[in-house]
Amino acid sequence: MSLDQTAIFDFLRGVHPYDSLQDEELTGISGKFRCITCDAGAPVYRLGEVLDGLYLIVSGAVEVTDANGAPVSHLGPRNSFGERGLSRDGTAVTSAHALSRTELLLLPAGEFRALVRTLPAFARYFDRARPATPGVRDLAEMRVSDLMVPDPVHCGPDTPLREVAAMMRDARVSSVGVVAGDRLCGIVTTRDLATRGMAEGLGADAPVSQVMTAEPLTLTPADLGSDVLQLMLENRIGHVPVTVGGRLRGIVTQTDLTRHQAVSSAMVIGDVADAQNVAELARTTGMIPQVLAQLVATGRAHDVITRLITDIADAVTRRLLRLAESELGPPPVPYLWLACGSQGRREQTGVSDQDNCLFLHDDMQPEDDTYFAALAKIVSDGLDACGYVHCPGDMMATNPRWRQPVRVWRQYFEGWVARPDPMAQMLASVMFDLRPIGGDESLFAGAHADTLAMASRNSIFVAHMVANSLKHQPPLGLLRGFATIRSGEHKNRIDLKHNGVVPVVDLGRLYAIQGRLEEANTRARLQAAAAAGVISASGARDLIDAYDLIATTRLEHQARQIKQGAAPDNFMSPASLSDFERGHLRDAFVVVRTMQSAIGHGRGTVS
């Protein structure tokens, strides 16, 4: 193949991120590519080679395989590959060969790196690393779509004031949009009902058109948050409808702005500390979805967001423990309430069940369990009422098995390590994420370190945990990009929990066992594993970058659902992402699968 510069220029104009460049920039870049032709079966590059540069397929097809020859991707025209090796130490972590006669463009490594350094569009597309200090956006950087309440309450212009007032009461809102046909024609607030309705002697059956503000000032979802504040201050209004083409799409109120500035995990925790009963706690935890959506909108890192959300769960648990003690009296022996699972790792999102247990002092007598059974029920039922639903697997302190003296817990750990059958693997996986929440923390002192040391010395146990870490695979499809769920209510979606973050969580836990690392948080485990030499520095960087992207995508998906008034879940349609986002997410999954393959074949472990 021999494409001239004009032909390369024309081809690149239809490929992202080149299509975002100015013509003069694209002209310069098109002259840097080399043309390559590979026959069917010919290698493009091999595992461990120093890559020549960034490859871009013009025609034909390429198969990318992992270190063990397992296929990872089938790539076609306009797909790029090879850039992840270039972004690290320059060596390939996969292999690639042509499936048919294939025409490629090659951007040499030096030119590629120079473009990443000098062109923002290139840097955004090819550099997947999380910024060292993620920016937190203020109102000037946020969009109205981040602040507005979507699908606001609305009525027709002939609706009686009585009905409008009932709408406000039932929906607990302070304004209603007035829509004629499919167009916004006015807005009415509680103040309007009082000053223009009741104060003027209008009857309850008068139409809302008589008290509404006609043709109100509006903004669009794409406007800035600062535009809302400016509009409110200049015009002394407290409600701004959001429209698209005259159609009502949302509303922003002074309360929304106040919440953006004031609603935080710290505020929620303060309310938790003041709650006098479970009902008050439940009302407070009802704000968690709003807090999560706000934290995502402000651009904070995913591990910061999940830590702040988990802090609320910790505070709720401790408050329930205090409420239980006030009802039951002082405990007969010291105890420690511990969380495992996502709460133990400080990785809770908008969807969390509860996983917990009780360590009891060895002086405990059999009759003492009556007290602790009651305490466990009060706390567990309280957590359920607050949105932390009962564990489907009954991994809770209400189960007598998970409410035992310290000596029994040590026997549990020793047994799971010595006889690692599938059930032991599952239990060990959960219990390695234990974290004290409330009570006497001395009861857990040394237990974690002792168990890690015992586990890391048992090669059979480690081998079983390796196998366990490979049970959840990233949702990679060879031809269509992602392997989506084939049937049921989540058809054509990917599970960002079990096939997204869980594979990385499992790898992080395995590295912690191998390296005797006491960190429970997944990202902290990956960083500690790199520092301890459990995995290579480049492998850790790639895996952390991949985890950051997957976990952030999951939170952004949940935040979108919350803004739309839906309950958050972990099932995302790939179609909801742009081509740019899908490409990066798939690359992240490839990294995870590559690291799973390495650990499954005995590489990257410590002896």
Side-chain angles (χ1 to χ4, degrees):
M1 177 185 70
S2 179
L3 295 178
D4 60 22
Q5 186 173 351
T6 300
I8 294 174
F9 177 92
D10 291 338
F11 177 73
L12 293 178
R13 290 184 68 176
V15 180
H16 197 70
Y18 310 96
D19 58 357
S20 64
L21 302 177
Q22 299 296 321
D23 283 354
E24 57 270 21
E25 293 174 324
L26 190 56
T27 298
I29 291 174
S30 61
K32 301 180 186 300
F33 278 92
R34 299 202 325 253
C35 302
I36 298 174
T37 300
C38 294
D39 292 328
V44 180
Y45 63 80
R46 293 184 173 86
L47 177 74
E49 289 182 348
V50 176
L51 297 182
D52 294 326
L54 174 72
Y55 296 91
L56 176 60
I57 302 173
V58 177
S59 63
V62 170
E63 182 180 66
V64 178
T65 57
D66 66 16
N68 304 296
V72 170
S73 300
H74 286 177
L75 303 176
R78 291 182 169 80
N79 286 150
S80 297
F81 61 100
E83 71 274 12
R84 180 157 289 277
L86 288 170
S87 68
R88 296 307 181 197
D89 59 6
T91 59
V93 296
T94 57
S95 299
H97 64 273
L99 292 172
S100 59
R101 185 175 176 80
T102 300
E103 298 175 329
L104 301 164
L105 292 177
L106 172 64
L107 181 62
E111 300 290 353
F112 172 80
R113 294 191 186 98
L115 291 174
V116 169
R117 287 194 303 269
T118 59
L119 290 181
F122 242 64
R124 284 193 299 270
Y125 189 81
F126 290 109
D127 186 1
R128 296 167 181 81
R130 183 173 72 170
T133 54
V136 177
R137 294 184 292 165
D138 59 20
L139 282 177
E141 298 174 88
M142 298 182 72
R143 300 292 176 181
V144 168
S145 58
D146 294 323
L147 298 167
M148 73 181 193
V149 175
D151 301 320
V153 178
H154 59 275
C155 66
D158 296 328
T159 306
L161 297 183
R162 185 198 317 274
E163 292 184 20
V164 175
M167 288 180 181
M168 292 183 181
R169 177 200 63 202
D170 295 343
R172 297 183 180 180
V173 295
S174 57
S175 65
V176 171
V178 183
V179 176
D182 62 352
R183 301 284 170 153
L184 178 71
C185 64
I187 185 172
V188 60
T189 68
T190 51
R191 183 178 180 181
D192 294 330
L193 291 179
T195 60
R196 298 178 182 176
M198 294 178 61
E200 296 298 326
L202 293 181
D205 293 324
V208 71
S209 58
Q210 292 188 21
V211 302
M212 73 181 188
T213 299
E215 303 300 325
L217 297 169
T218 65
L219 291 172
T220 72
D223 286 324
L224 296 177
S226 56
D227 294 332
V228 180
L229 186 58
Q230 180 178 336
L231 200 64
M232 288 181 174
L233 291 175
E234 287 189 358
N235 297 277
R236 297 187 178 184
I237 56 178
H239 302 76
V240 178
V242 182
T243 61
V244 176
R247 295 176 174 83
L248 182 63
R249 290 291 181 264
I251 192 161
V252 183
T253 69
Q254 286 181 340
T255 302
D256 295 323
L257 294 184
T258 302
R259 284 174 178 166
H260 167 70
Q261 300 295 336
V263 173
S264 65
S265 60
M267 187 192 78
V268 175
I269 288 172
D271 290 343
V272 164
D274 293 335
Q276 298 303 306
N277 51 54
V278 172
E280 291 183 13
L281 281 173
R283 282 196 293 272
T284 300
T285 56
M287 300 172 64
I288 291 177
Q290 177 190 330
V291 173
L292 182 130
Q294 178 180 303
L295 289 170
V296 172
T298 56
R300 286 176 171 83
H302 71 90
D303 51 317
V304 174
I305 294 173
T306 54
R307 168 60 188 270
L308 294 173
I309 295 299
T310 304
D311 286 347
I312 298 174
D314 291 355
V316 171
T317 304
R318 286 189 287 268
R319 185 59 183 152
L320 286 167
L321 287 169
R322 286 192 288 272
L323 291 174
E325 286 191 24
S326 67
E327 178 179 336
L328 301 174
V333 295
Y335 72 87
L336 177 63
W337 185 282
L338 301 99
C340 40
S342 60
Q343 185 181 0
R345 296 189 305 273
R346 288 191 168 109
E347 292 169 4
Q348 288 192 314
T349 66
V351 187
S352 296
D353 59 4
Q354 55 175 290
D355 297 284
N356 46 62
C357 62
L358 271 171
F359 277 37
L360 307 175
H361 195 280
D362 283 339
D363 288 343
M364 171 195 173
Q365 300 301 309
E367 59 270 19
D368 294 337
D369 189 56
T370 301
Y371 177 95
F372 292 111
L375 180 139
K377 180 172 175 54
I378 292 171
V379 176
S380 184
D381 288 351
L383 288 171
D384 183 75
C386 291
Y388 307 100
V389 298
H390 289 131
C391 174
D394 203 21
M395 184 81 59
M396 298 178 294
T398 49
N399 184 337
R401 187 179 186 185
W402 311 129
R403 188 177 68 245
Q404 293 290 337
V406 172
R407 64 178 182 277
V408 176
W409 278 105
R410 287 189 175 270
Q411 291 169 3
Y412 284 167
F413 294 136
E414 291 171 3
W416 295 334
V417 172
R419 296 176 295 278
D421 58 25
M423 178 59 72
Q425 295 172 43
M426 186 276 290
L427 295 173
S429 294
V430 174
M431 294 302 173
F432 272 113
D433 298 344
L434 280 175
R435 183 172 59 86
I437 303 298
D440 186 347
E441 294 195 14
S442 69
L443 298 178
F444 191 59
H448 195 192
D450 292 346
T451 305
L452 283 171
M454 179 172 49
S456 65
R457 289 194 299 265
N458 189 320
S459 59
I460 296 176
F461 176 80
V462 172
H464 278 275
M465 291 301 292
V466 167
N468 190 65
S469 72
L470 303 178
K471 288 182 179 178
H472 296 99
Q473 295 284 326
L476 288 170
L478 292 179
L479 299 177
R480 295 190 299 166
F482 296 102
T484 58
I485 298 169
R486 295 184 178 180
S487 61
E489 62 176 316
H490 303 304
K491 183 179 179 181
N492 297 327
R493 287 171 166 76
I494 57 177
D495 186 341
L496 288 171
K497 178 182 178 181
H498 291 102
N499 300 113
V501 298
V502 167
V504 187
V505 169
D506 289 343
L507 285 173
R509 184 185 301 111
L510 179 61
Y511 298 147
I513 293 170
Q514 291 175 329
R516 304 183 187 180
L517 310 171
E518 294 201 36
E519 286 80 358
N521 176 265
T522 298
R523 200 172 193 276
R525 280 172 166 169
L526 299 180
Q527 292 171 325
V534 178
I535 52 176
S536 68
S538 61
R541 286 194 299 266
D542 277 346
L543 189 54
I544 289 171
D545 285 354
Y547 178 56
D548 286 344
L549 180 59
I550 296 166
T552 299
T553 301
R554 180 191 184 197
L555 286 176
E556 290 174 344
H557 163 71
Q558 293 185 1
R560 283 195 299 271
Q561 292 178 304
I562 291 166
K563 287 172 57 180
Q564 293 164 2
D569 63 26
N570 294 300
F571 301 96
M572 184 192 73
S573 169
S576 67
L577 302 177
S578 66
D579 290 343
F580 172 88
E581 292 167 325
R582 284 196 297 272
H584 282 334
L585 184 59
R586 197 176 192 284
D587 285 345
F589 288 144
V590 169
V591 170
V592 177
R593 177 174 286 183
T594 299
M595 297 300 286
Q596 287 182 321
S597 180
I599 201 75
H601 288 77
R603 295 185 304 279
T605 64
V606 296
S607 56

